[in-house]
Amino acid sequence: MVEHVLVATFGFPAVVFTFLLVVVVGYWLLVAVGLSSVDAVGAADPEAFGRVPLSVSLTVATALSWLTCLAGDLLLSTGPLPALSGFAVLLVALTVAFAGTRLVARVLAPRFQSAPDVVGRTCVIRTGRVDRTFGEAEVTMGDGTSVVVQVRQRTGLPLRVGGSATVEEHDRAGGFFWISG
């Protein structure tokens, strides 16, 4: 069984995606050790992949293509026309990858939504305090709607409920905004 998987992995059509899978695994290892970030590759086409990072979309597409090719090759390796079935498996794999990536992107898209554009705006504190580790504030947008955001304050006395401050910058890693009172 292992020999069949190895032959399928390095045979057509799976070999096309085997190399890409090695690249993808290498990329995610760099992300895991902190030498790269999920957003390093860029953003995907918002219409095609639901605004998830391109690195995530390419990973899903590569994995689905490789798995489909591997499964197809293992299922059809005993067929009478292996070369023809290889091209058919490749076409099926690309179709499955595209459809599967779109589906996964729809599920993941809410996790990658960008922060509201509140930098430079005035906010009103909603929590009992705001310091380096805790706080929430309400920002009124230009169209009159309100957005509640997580905020932090670097220096000064902790801000209290009802106090106002200015949103200075977004800390993407922490998922909050730095403010100054």
Side-chain angles (χ1 to χ4, degrees), residues 17 20-22 24 57-67 97 101:
F17 300 104
L20 293 174
L21 192 62
V22 169
V24 164
S57 297
L58 290 176
T59 298
V60 171
T62 300
L64 287 174
S65 297
W66 184 78
L67 286 170
T101 302

Side-chain angles (χ1 to χ4, degrees), residues 67-179:
L67 286 170
T68 304
C69 283
L70 193 64
D73 192 34
L74 289 173
L75 289 172
L76 299 175
S77 62
T78 58
L81 301 170
L84 180 62
S85 62
F87 284 107
V89 168
L90 181 62
L91 289 174
V92 169
L94 292 172
T95 303
V96 167
F98 184 74
T101 302
R102 285 184 58 125
L103 179 66
V104 170
R106 279 192 206 133
V107 172
L108 294 179
R111 298 190 182 275
F112 293 103
Q113 287 181 347
S114 60
D117 187 19
V118 298
V119 175
R121 296 189 181 275
T122 301
C123 63
V124 177
I125 308 305
R126 293 176 42 117
T127 52
R129 67 175 168 63
V130 175
D131 54 30
R132 293 186 64 80
T133 61
F134 178 79
E136 187 177 85
E138 183 175 343
V139 180
T140 302
M141 304 302 284
D143 62 0
T145 60
S146 294
V147 177
V148 176
V149 293
Q150 297 297 311
V151 294
R152 305 293 184 265
Q153 181 184 16
R154 288 189 175 107
T155 58
L157 295 174
L159 296 166
R160 304 275 179 213
V161 174
S164 64
T166 303
V167 180
E168 298 293 330
E169 66 179 289
H170 181 240
D171 186 316
R172 186 177 178 118
F176 59 84
F177 292 89
W178 288 105
I179 61 172

